[in-house]
Amino acid sequence: MAAVKFQKPALFRKDMDAVLQTMVDEKIGPGEKKKLFVKSFASYCKKKDGVALRSFIDAVTIALKILGLSEGDYCAISVLSPEIYSEAFRRFGIKPYLVDVDSEMMPDIDAIKEGMEKGVKALLLFYPLGLLPSSVNSFKELGLPIIEDITQSVGSKYGDVYPGAVGDIVIAATEEDSIVSTAGGAVLLSDREDYIPLLKKETSDYSPYIEMADMNAALGIVQLEKLPTVVQRRSNIWRTYQGEVLKRNRVKVFGIGSVDFEINGYGFSCIVNERPDDTIALALKYQVTAKKTFSKAIGAKYQDRFDKFPKAVPALSRAVSFPLYPFLSQSEIATVQKVVGILR
């Protein structure tokens, strides 16, 4: 029996047909499909416009530049954010100001305020594993320009909070494992009249070398169209796993328990009580591939620093993720369900 893969692209026949049609039309470079994809994504996030790029790092560096950050400036970012931001900051000469998280796994407001006293000029707001804040007011009231990374939260909803509700610039990676995939790249969106022309100029100056190709955008358009169906499937699997864990109550599910929170099922993670490597080995005995959730987080090397990041350390040091994607079969779901039910 082959092990249940940790991740698998959510690609359907219709997705492939859209890509093939673009190839038949002989217009595979940046063009009308790219514009339509951006327009569709902006509409979903309730933003006015934006750009689609081939590289996530290019998207981050452009966003930092448009916010007006200069070399040597500090940008606040939670320790649970992807480590790739370190490289983006390095390329632009920005210094990350690492902050702990709150009970909702969002950047801690008090820690950000302390950073502002030390010169923090912006906030990069990352939502891990489909989460969203219950309110965006505390972030808005900071008065900092905000880059909001919704890569993992596309499709989630928390009351009246939606992905893109707070960012001056919204960024979403569209990689292979993203909720909306174009097989690589990212979108940058905004509703600020002063930012949108700057976004377009930054990309058009280097077009077509950094803009997303129509062949990729065609895939993204179809993925956005079927987003509700895919999110429903993912969410149902997430709830199935959660229910199994709650029956035993041995470990903590990483996420939000509120009935007002509608999770997109980006991934399922538990904070275990034993060594993560032991949990991963246990899962493999049942032919299930599991991984440390935050092994590639920007704060991964601080997993023993309870003095600096007391709320984030349990997730950094003991969170383990399990397979969750639309193409899981019922037997595979049942196998993963069995594993999460015996976690310690």
Side-chain angles (χ1 to χ4, degrees):
M1 176 182 174
V4 180
K5 290 184 178 180
F6 183 75
Q7 188 58 264
K8 188 182 291 185
L11 298 178
F12 297 81
R13 178 61 181 268
K14 187 177 180 181
D15 301 339
M16 295 298 97
D17 289 345
V19 175
L20 288 172
Q21 184 58 54
T22 304
M23 295 173 68
V24 170
D25 292 342
E26 298 181 347
K27 295 179 180 179
I28 62 174
E32 294 305 312
K33 291 287 176 65
K34 179 212 65 177
K35 294 177 182 178
L36 178 56
F37 176 56
V38 170
K39 182 178 179 181
S40 299
F41 217 134
S43 176
Y44 166 77
C45 296
K46 302 180 182 179
K47 297 298 179 184
K48 291 183 179 179
D49 206 350
V51 295
L53 305 176
R54 299 183 183 186
S55 161
F56 181 75
I57 288 185
D58 281 344
V60 177
T61 53
I62 287 174
L64 292 169
K65 182 177 181 179
I66 288 173
L67 288 188
L69 298 185
S70 303
E71 186 173 350
D73 285 342
Y74 283 97
C75 179
I77 183 171
S78 94
V79 292
L80 298 184
S81 305
E83 198 276 334
I84 193 171
Y85 278 114
S86 293
E87 176 61 17
F89 287 164
R90 185 193 66 78
R91 290 186 182 187
F92 202 63
I94 301 298
K95 298 179 180 179
Y97 184 87
L98 301 184
V99 299
D100 199 11
V101 294
D102 59 20
S103 59
E104 295 183 343
M105 299 295 117
M106 297 294 120
D108 183 75
I109 292 295
D110 290 335
I112 298 171
K113 289 179 178 178
E114 289 180 12
M116 291 171 67
E117 295 175 359
K118 299 176 183 178
V120 164
K121 298 289 184 65
L123 168 63
L124 202 155
L125 183 57
F126 169 71
Y127 302 142
L129 271 70
L131 302 187
L132 288 171
S134 57
S135 172
V136 297
N137 292 334
S138 55
F139 294 113
K140 288 182 176 181
E141 290 168 359
L142 290 170
L144 289 172
I146 297 174
I147 298 172
E148 182 182 8
D149 185 341
I150 66 169
T151 299
Q152 298 183 11
S153 62
V154 173
S156 292
K157 188 179 179 183
Y158 198 169
D160 60 354
V161 178
Y162 57 90
V166 65
D168 295 290
I169 296 178
V170 173
I171 187 170
T174 55
E175 297 294 332
E176 182 180 8
D177 61 348
S178 299
I179 295 286
V180 175
S181 174
T182 63
V187 293
L188 282 174
L189 308 167
S190 184
D191 54 8
R192 287 188 48 160
E193 298 292 347
D194 53 338
Y195 282 179
I196 293 172
L198 294 175
L199 283 172
K200 291 185 177 295
K201 184 178 187 306
E202 285 293 326
T203 54
S204 63
D205 282 354
Y206 301 100
S207 182
Y209 302 105
I210 67 171
E211 289 190 286
M212 183 179 290
D214 270 11
M215 190 164 63
N216 298 85
L219 176 59
I221 291 169
V222 180
Q223 293 244 312
L224 277 173
E225 289 174 352
K226 60 182 177 61
L227 180 62
T229 301
V230 169
V231 166
Q232 186 63 60
R233 170 69 172 165
R234 284 179 173 271
S235 179
N236 288 343
I237 298 172
W238 192 95
R239 297 292 179 191
T240 297
Y241 294 168
Q242 180 199 37
E244 195 64 35
V245 173
L246 294 180
K247 285 180 187 177
R248 276 70 179 177
N249 201 31
R250 294 193 189 105
V251 298
K252 181 181 179 182
V253 175
F254 182 90
I256 300 170
S258 171
V259 295
D260 295 326
F261 179 56
E262 301 173 29
I263 195 163
N264 64 358
Y266 174 83
F268 186 82
S269 175
C270 290
I271 299 177
V272 299
N273 299 310
E274 60 183 7
R275 293 175 61 248
D277 287 345
D278 292 339
T279 297
I280 293 169
L282 172 67
L284 198 55
K285 288 181 180 179
Y286 289 84
Q287 298 298 306
V288 171
T289 306
K291 295 183 179 182
K292 288 189 68 175
T293 307
F294 295 104
S295 62
K296 294 184 179 180
I298 197 170
K301 63 182 179 182
Y302 299 109
Q303 56 185 283
D304 59 347
R305 294 299 303 271
F306 276 96
D307 57 322
K308 294 188 67 174
F309 311 112
K311 294 284 183 64
V313 162
L316 286 170
S317 60
R318 292 185 282 110
V320 178
S321 291
F322 301 88
L324 200 169
Y325 45 88
F327 285 161
L328 283 171
S329 67
Q330 287 305 122
S331 62
E332 289 174 328
I333 293 171
T335 302
V336 178
Q337 186 179 355
K338 181 187 296 183
V339 171
V340 299
I342 61 173
L343 295 179
R344 299 184 293 272

